[in-house]
Amino acid sequence: MRLAGGSIPVAEPVWSVDPRTGKQREQVGVEATAADVDAAVRAAHAARAALADRDARIALLRAAADELEADGERILAAADAETALGMGRLPGELARTTGQLRAFAAEVADGGYLDVIIDHADASLTPPRPDLRRYKIPLGVVAVYSASNFPLAFSVPGGDTASALAAGCPVVVKAHPDHPATSELAGAALRRAAARSGLPEDVVTVLHGFEAGVALVTHPLVAAAGFTGSVRGGRALFDAAAARPVPIPFYGELGSLNPVLVTEAAAAERAAEIGAGLAASMTLGTGQFCTKPGLVLAPAGGAGDELLNALTKKAGEAAHGVMLDGRMREAFLAGVAERAALDGVEAPVAAAGSEDRTVAAGVLTVDAARLAAEGPHDLLLEECFGPVTVLVRYAGAAEARAVLSRLPGNLTATLHLGAAEERGEGEGAALLSELTALAGRVLVNGWPTGVAVTPAQHHGGPYPATTSTSTSVGATAIERWLRPVTYQSAPPALLPPELRDENPLGLPRRVNGSREI
Amino acid sequence: MRLAGGSIPVAEPVWSVDPRTGKQREQVGVEATAADVDAAVRAAHAARAALADRDARIALLRAAADELEADGERILAAADAETALGMGRLPGELARTTGQLRAFAAEVADGGYLDVIIDHADASLTPPRPDLRRYKIPLGVVAVYSASNFPLAFSVPGGDTASALAAGCPVVVKAHPDHPATSELAGAALRRAAARSGLPEDVVTVLHGFEAGVALVTHPLVAAAGFTGSVRGGRALFDAAAARPVPIPFYGELGSLNPVLVTEAAAAERAAEIGAGLAASMTLGTGQFCTKPGLVLAPAGGAGDELLNALTKKAGEAAHGVMLDGRMREAFLAGVAERAALDGVEAPVAAAGSEDRTVAAGVLTVDAARLAAEGPHDLLLEECFGPVTVLVRYAGAAEARAVLSRLPGNLTATLHLGAAEERGEGEGAALLSELTALAGRVLVNGWPTGVAVTPAQHHGGPYPATTSTSTSVGATAIERWLRPVTYQSAPPALLPPELRDENPLGLPRRVNGSREI
């Protein structure tokens, strides 16, 4: 918002931009003012009571999936036009998104997330134990900050929104400027789903604008926030959340290098396969995944050379891609150039931009010794968003370990092992344990791009991967939006159904120390 | 630490002080320097690997309870001499502490806290699902900040330490200056227990000094912190934890008013009983419980008058007590005087200090109307540590609700209901729901002092009661010191036993969506 002439506010237009041309497609709306943010949060706050109804939440999540599918063609067309992610990938992202909404409906029905614990009174103990019954209740209005690179699965109808609604928390989403039209269509689908489910539409509101995002995290009625984006933006919002008179939890997914360690044995056995797999993973979606493998430790010597050759060949052949926006393309090209200019860094595949606004993938190499101690090469330990990876050549396990010990926190860490190491011979278990210290998901002989939506998933990791110990993908993502409460000696007639002895909802629970499924 | 003359550091002595006389008892040691803090944290960090052994942790927790009991006489004598809490209460606190250590040993053996989730690979899905296995691992070194008012149960051998050790996290405790001798004895008992269990003694270290506390929360190898104390001190440390280059979770329990609402019906039925119960609860331990009922909404009119009379009589008769230290006594007397000086506030029982260093309990009263809107009376909505409570007289439910809506977050909220309300007639359920928004534990027809150590307990609540959604008492306190990690396609030979299909540890878990006990 800016002030025209004197003090009359002028609403800033929000444009949908085609990254393939750099041209504005359409005006989607205007940026939210502080008053808009306040109104959205208050309306969401007022919708809490309706959202407390478990059956309505299940209906909402299922209806949201249905509504997104019903308007799928239009949503996908808008997403492709705004993000250039392509119709090869986007239908899969929509399926992931609707699958995720339905999975959370199933979690609400299951009720295990309520973590019910009941201890009956016991007068025989010293001191006597009162009747205590614990479960979890929703925190309140949740602010969701959309990601650039997943216009659906990590944006308006994505995992943060789905898990917050499942928990019983109304959501105000700050749309990402890279896909405002998609965000509006998805928001409208969610609001239709609310109306269909007998809930106020204000259980989900979509807002646009940078200042709206700042106002949102400091609003007194916002109780928690979920964020997917850059370290810089995420940390600023985290700091604002922590500095409030009443601090709130800020669940941010910020940045990740996603290191890969290829052992000597793995390289000796599968150099070409690993090189090709790495090329495919680091160029997927034009390298714009938060789980892109950005730093790969491969042995020096012949097997490592073969791996590098396969990587170089496949990365060089990879289709050029259009990045999400022009600013990111420039940051990518500048980031690669800055890294390539470091002493001892080579670029066997040169990342490059073209006049058609596409970029070509890049591969950088460096000796592990350059990363053994603090110095200018530490830039290689920072994420570079886009299709580039750094192959770090190590001579011996000690050199590889020295690099591992200098890495920041990550969403994922990957280990490529030889067949005997997989069977438990040699250093496999020790290396797995070392990588575990670095990340929230540890893969063996696979690639980190691709994050399955299942109960056991964990998409998070030590800072800066995430600002908390939580996950933003998988069933346990719902835990972020709840707080426990315990009733002491509450009369049975006043207890919520979740805490009654007769267990009318059939919830899994722990009673006097014993688990009941 | 101060600098003598030029720049030679002089170790500041740490004195044990008798609050009954104000005199120094003995020098316990010296304040830790920055180098001491660094050494303690590094030693703790090095002890992590040993503490990863589940059986050793179980042995440690049980041995810690045994060692505390074996040295119980000396520990209790020191605690009484330093805190004046009295031998009427302290043996119970020791029993609570050892019971808590043994309860966490049982939780480690149970293993439910690991929250194991396993999803087997499924190639028939789109996209195919890889094998994913999730459990929780310890965060690393935990800093514990001891409470003044529980020299054992919320201090060196208390719930934060016990739950962190149970999780597999070594602990560095910042002792409270009100009971350094007790802290040293308890720390020595824990270190003996470690040695007996085949663990490095450095799994627990006790440090003294304000500056040591600040250095601890900013040490790069400290991974999380637990704190029980004042809003001012806790918030400063919370802010420091959040401002670190790598922020860490700070689990602080800061302050709580612990509101009580007495309905018209409850007052009509049990005025004298409620008044007497309130007097006992607010004077217990000389009012130095974090769960002391500090604000009580009682009806205007005859039944409320009767309640007030009973409260006045019993509080006036209560034994005078010595507070934990002279600074707290002064703060208490000044806090009561400042509140009593507000327009419309009366003091039917006048808190007072005596030359023998004891204080007499106080009761203040005010009309609810004074608290309906922001103003100087908001001071009454802040905790005043010590034996004083504020009886707020309301005329009608609307006036009571107006006060409830202005309260900050609390550890507890208590509802006193009439018999018909208990059976579900009238407003009982609605009021219970309103109090639930204010606190982490909600009691009916009881008193909040006394926090049972059981799986269903929740000792925490909206800020400033706690700085997180976690509890510091009960089985789930262990969750604070863990983070999830998921293994993808890890070969069976490399999996930790907790995640193997054959479940050698017999852990409760969720496999392909189904729970196994």
Side-chain angles (χ1 to χ4, degrees):
Chain A
M1 193 180 77
R2 61 203 149 89
L3 300 181
S7 61
I8 302 160
V10 175
E12 288 284 353
V14 173
W15 291 95
S16 172
V17 175
D18 180 349
R20 293 183 177 100
T21 64
K23 295 211 165 46
Q24 291 175 340
R25 295 176 59 241
E26 59 173 327
Q27 183 180 343
V28 172
V30 294
E31 293 192 355
T33 63
D36 295 334
V37 172
D38 185 58
V41 173
R42 286 181 187 282
H45 191 71
R48 284 175 312 148
L51 208 52
D53 185 303
R54 176 176 176 265
D55 294 333
R57 291 207 306 283
I58 294 171
L60 165 64
L61 292 162
R62 290 177 180 156
D66 295 344
E67 289 288 343
L68 289 166
E69 282 168 356
D71 201 22
E73 205 170 317
R74 205 159 56 126
I75 290 171
L76 291 173
D80 182 52
E82 290 185 313
T83 66
L85 287 171
M87 292 304 280
R89 160 179 157 182
L90 286 166
E93 187 179 330
L94 178 58
R96 174 194 179 88
T97 305
T98 55
Q100 188 162 249
L101 286 158
R102 292 186 178 114
F104 277 115
E107 289 298 320
V108 176
D110 172 83
Y113 74 97
L114 293 168
D115 217 355
V116 174
I117 309 179
I118 296 176
D119 295 319
H120 290 135
D122 186 343
S124 73
L125 297 174
T126 311
R129 184 172 78 184
D131 181 274
L132 291 166
R133 293 162 191 259
R134 170 195 187 267
Y135 77 148
K136 292 188 178 175
I137 61 173
L139 281 178
V141 178
V142 166
V144 170
Y145 295 82
S146 302
S148 62
N149 56 345
F150 280 86
L152 300 169
F154 288 81
S155 290
V156 173
D160 285 345
T161 298
S163 57
L165 292 173
C169 296
V171 170
V172 179
V173 190
K174 193 277 195 182
H176 196 279
D178 279 353
H179 40 71
T182 312
S183 298
E184 282 293 318
L185 290 172
L190 293 178
R191 290 171 70 93
R192 285 196 303 275
R196 258 180 61 184
S197 312
L199 288 166
E201 292 190 334
D202 293 328
V203 295
V204 179
T205 303
V206 176
L207 300 175
H208 303 272
F210 175 82
E211 283 174 40
V214 177
L216 199 50
V217 81
T218 54
H219 195 290
L221 290 179
V222 167
F227 172 94
T228 310
S230 70
V231 173
R232 196 165 69 169
R235 183 65 193 250
L237 290 168
F238 170 87
D239 289 344
R244 293 165 48 119
V246 173
I248 58 171
F250 183 85
Y251 300 104
E253 183 203 317
L254 310 191
S256 183
L257 203 55
N258 304 302
V260 178
L261 172 61
V262 182
T263 65
E264 303 259 9
E269 293 171 22
R270 305 191 313 275
E273 181 192 329
I274 293 170
L278 172 57
S281 182
M282 51 95 40
T283 58
L284 195 69
T286 316
Q288 298 169 118
F289 281 92
C290 43
T291 51
K292 179 203 74 175
L295 183 138
V296 181
L297 284 154
D305 290 345
E306 195 191 333
L307 188 162
L308 173 59
N309 289 341
L311 167 64
T312 300
K313 180 165 183 295
K314 292 286 182 184
E317 290 169 4
H320 296 194
V322 175
M323 291 189 68
L324 290 156
D325 63 42
R327 191 181 50 77
M328 283 191 200
R329 186 178 61 248
E330 280 159 37
F332 166 68
L333 294 170
V336 175
E338 198 183 351
R339 286 162 175 79
L342 292 166
D343 273 358
V345 173
E346 291 177 31
V349 184
S354 308
E355 282 185 11
D356 66 355
R357 307 183 72 84
T358 62
V359 297
V363 172
L364 303 175
T365 64
V366 69
D367 282 347
R370 299 273 185 182
L371 292 167
E374 218 171 304
H377 290 77
D378 286 2
L379 181 62
L380 299 171
L381 307 182
E382 290 175 26
E383 183 182 9
C384 182
F385 195 76
V388 64
T389 197
V390 180
L391 200 71
V392 181
R393 306 294 299 272
Y394 67 86
E399 222 176 64
R401 288 198 154 107
V403 176
L404 289 180
S405 74
R406 301 205 57 242
L407 296 181
N410 292 277
L411 292 167
T412 72
T414 301
L415 189 56
H416 279 272
L417 296 176
E421 289 165 334
E422 276 198 71
R423 288 192 304 269
E425 298 167 28
E427 292 280 278
L431 291 170
L432 195 70
S433 166
E434 282 174 63
L435 291 192
T436 300
L438 295 176
R441 179 165 54 111
V442 184
L443 301 89
V444 178
N445 293 355
W447 298 103
T449 40
V451 184
V453 180
T454 83
Q457 186 56 277
H458 188 77
H459 189 63
Y463 187 88
T466 43
T467 59
S468 76
T469 57
S470 301
T471 181
S472 60
V473 178
T476 55
I478 195 173
E479 294 176 2
R480 299 175 293 170
W481 320 117
L482 299 158
R483 71 172 172 94
V485 65
T486 293
Y487 291 99
Q488 178 170 329
S489 309
L494 304 187
L495 282 173
E498 290 86 348
L499 296 180
R500 291 188 193 148
D501 278 336
E502 62 272 26
N503 198 7
L505 304 179
L507 301 174
R509 58 187 193 175
R510 192 175 176 188
V511 180
N512 298 325
S514 299
R515 284 183 191 80
E516 301 175 355
I517 291 183
Chain B
M1 196 179 74
R2 63 203 148 88
L3 300 182
S7 60
I8 304 161
V10 175
E12 288 282 356
V14 173
W15 291 95
S16 172
V17 174
D18 179 350
R20 293 185 177 98
T21 63
K23 296 211 165 45
Q24 291 174 341
R25 296 177 58 241
E26 58 173 329
Q27 183 180 342
V28 172
V30 294
E31 294 192 355
T33 62
D36 295 335
V37 172
D38 185 57
V41 173
R42 287 181 187 280
H45 192 71
R48 283 174 314 149
L51 209 51
D53 184 303
R54 176 176 177 265
D55 294 333
R57 292 207 305 282
I58 294 171
L60 166 65
L61 292 162
R62 290 178 179 156
D66 295 344
E67 291 288 343
L68 289 166
E69 281 169 357
D71 201 23
E73 206 170 317
R74 203 159 57 126
I75 290 171
L76 291 173
D80 182 52
E82 290 185 313
T83 67
L85 286 171
M87 293 303 282
R89 160 181 157 181
L90 286 167
E93 186 179 329
L94 178 58
R96 173 195 181 87
T97 305
T98 55
Q100 188 162 251
L101 286 158
R102 293 188 178 112
F104 277 114
E107 289 298 320
V108 176
D110 173 82
Y113 74 97
L114 293 169
D115 218 355
V116 174
I117 310 180
I118 295 175
D119 295 319
H120 290 135
D122 188 342
S124 73
L125 297 175
T126 309
R129 183 172 79 183
D131 182 274
L132 291 167
R133 293 162 191 259
R134 170 195 187 268
Y135 77 147
K136 292 188 179 174
I137 61 173
L139 281 178
V141 178
V142 166
V144 169
Y145 295 83
S146 301
S148 61
N149 56 347
F150 280 85
L152 300 169
F154 288 82
S155 290
V156 174
D160 285 346
T161 297
S163 57
L165 292 174
C169 296
V171 170
V172 179
V173 190
K174 195 276 195 182
H176 196 279
D178 280 354
H179 40 71
T182 311
S183 297
E184 282 293 318
L185 291 172
L190 294 177
R191 290 171 71 92
R192 284 196 303 276
R196 259 180 61 186
S197 312
L199 288 166
E201 292 190 332
D202 293 328
V203 295
V204 179
T205 304
V206 176
L207 300 176
H208 303 273
F210 176 83
E211 283 173 40
V214 177
L216 200 51
V217 82
T218 53
H219 195 290
L221 291 179
V222 168
F227 171 97
T228 309
S230 71
V231 173
R232 197 165 67 169
R235 183 63 193 251
L237 289 169
F238 169 87
D239 289 345
R244 291 165 49 118
V246 172
I248 58 170
F250 183 86
Y251 300 105
E253 183 203 317
L254 311 192
S256 182
L257 204 55
N258 303 302
V260 178
L261 172 60
V262 181
T263 66
E264 304 259 9
E269 293 171 22
R270 306 191 313 275
E273 180 193 330
I274 293 171
L278 172 56
S281 182
M282 51 91 47
T283 58
L284 196 68
T286 317
Q288 299 170 117
F289 282 93
C290 44
T291 51
K292 179 202 74 176
L295 183 139
V296 181
L297 284 153
D305 290 345
E306 196 189 333
L307 188 163
L308 174 59
N309 289 340
L311 167 64
T312 301
K313 180 166 182 299
K314 293 284 183 187
E317 291 167 4
H320 297 196
V322 175
M323 291 189 70
L324 290 156
D325 63 43
R327 191 181 50 77
M328 282 192 199
R329 186 179 62 248
E330 280 159 36
F332 166 68
L333 294 170
V336 175
E338 198 183 352
R339 286 161 175 80
L342 292 165
D343 272 358
V345 173
E346 290 178 31
V349 184
S354 309
E355 283 183 13
D356 65 356
R357 308 183 71 84
T358 63
V359 296
V363 172
L364 302 175
T365 64
V366 68
D367 282 347
R370 298 274 185 180
L371 292 167
E374 218 171 305
H377 289 77
D378 285 2
L379 182 62
L380 299 171
L381 307 183
E382 290 175 26
E383 182 182 9
C384 182
F385 195 76
V388 64
T389 196
V390 181
L391 200 72
V392 181
R393 307 293 300 271
Y394 67 85
E399 222 176 61
R401 287 196 154 108
V403 176
L404 289 181
S405 74
R406 301 207 55 244
L407 295 182
N410 292 277
L411 291 167
T412 73
T414 301
L415 189 55
H416 278 272
L417 296 175
E421 289 166 333
E422 277 199 70
R423 288 192 304 268
E425 297 168 29
E427 291 280 281
L431 291 170
L432 196 69
S433 166
E434 282 174 63
L435 290 193
T436 301
L438 295 176
R441 179 164 56 111
V442 184
L443 300 90
V444 178
N445 293 357
W447 298 103
T449 39
V451 183
V453 180
T454 83
Q457 186 56 275
H458 188 78
H459 188 63
Y463 188 89
T466 43
T467 58
S468 75
T469 57
S470 300
T471 180
S472 59
V473 178
T476 55
I478 195 173
E479 294 175 3
R480 298 175 294 168
W481 319 118
L482 298 158
R483 70 173 173 94
V485 65
T486 292
Y487 292 99
Q488 178 170 329
S489 310
L494 304 187
L495 282 173
E498 291 86 347
L499 297 180
R500 291 188 193 147
D501 277 337
E502 62 270 26
N503 198 9
L505 304 178
L507 301 173
R509 57 189 195 174
R510 191 174 177 190
V511 180
N512 298 324
S514 298
R515 283 182 192 81
E516 300 175 356
I517 289 182

mmCIF file of all heavy atoms in Angstrom, chain B residues 15 142 269 361:
data_model
loop_
_atom_site.group_PDB
_atom_site.id
_atom_site.type_symbol
_atom_site.label_atom_id
_atom_site.label_comp_id
_atom_site.label_asym_id
_atom_site.label_seq_id
_atom_site.Cartn_x
_atom_site.Cartn_y
_atom_site.Cartn_z
ATOM 1 N N TRP B 15 27.284 -18.288 48.201
ATOM 2 C CA TRP B 15 26.951 -18.526 49.603
ATOM 3 C C TRP B 15 25.597 -19.193 49.745
ATOM 4 O O TRP B 15 24.652 -18.846 49.050
ATOM 5 C CB TRP B 15 26.911 -17.197 50.380
ATOM 6 C CG TRP B 15 28.255 -16.564 50.540
ATOM 7 C CD1 TRP B 15 28.802 -15.602 49.746
ATOM 8 C CD2 TRP B 15 29.220 -16.852 51.556
ATOM 9 N NE1 TRP B 15 30.054 -15.270 50.193
ATOM 10 C CE2 TRP B 15 30.340 -16.022 51.312
ATOM 11 C CE3 TRP B 15 29.251 -17.731 52.646
ATOM 12 C CZ2 TRP B 15 31.476 -16.039 52.119
ATOM 13 C CZ3 TRP B 15 30.387 -17.746 53.454
ATOM 14 C CH2 TRP B 15 31.487 -16.901 53.181
ATOM 15 N N VAL B 142 21.030 -30.287 27.151
ATOM 16 C CA VAL B 142 19.914 -29.471 27.643
ATOM 17 C C VAL B 142 20.383 -28.604 28.814
ATOM 18 O O VAL B 142 21.045 -29.099 29.736
ATOM 19 C CB VAL B 142 18.738 -30.377 28.077
ATOM 20 C CG1 VAL B 142 17.711 -29.602 28.891
ATOM 21 C CG2 VAL B 142 18.083 -31.015 26.863
ATOM 22 N N GLU B 269 -24.145 -23.010 48.060
ATOM 23 C CA GLU B 269 -24.122 -24.349 48.666
ATOM 24 C C GLU B 269 -22.945 -24.570 49.613
ATOM 25 O O GLU B 269 -23.051 -25.327 50.565
ATOM 26 C CB GLU B 269 -24.079 -25.427 47.564
ATOM 27 C CG GLU B 269 -25.360 -25.475 46.738
ATOM 28 C CD GLU B 269 -25.231 -26.390 45.512
ATOM 29 O OE1 GLU B 269 -24.359 -27.283 45.518
ATOM 30 O OE2 GLU B 269 -25.997 -26.185 44.544
ATOM 31 N N ALA B 361 -0.130 -13.692 55.770
ATOM 32 C CA ALA B 361 -0.884 -13.723 54.504
ATOM 33 C C ALA B 361 -1.825 -12.532 54.394
ATOM 34 O O ALA B 361 -2.236 -11.951 55.405
ATOM 35 C CB ALA B 361 -1.673 -15.023 54.409
#
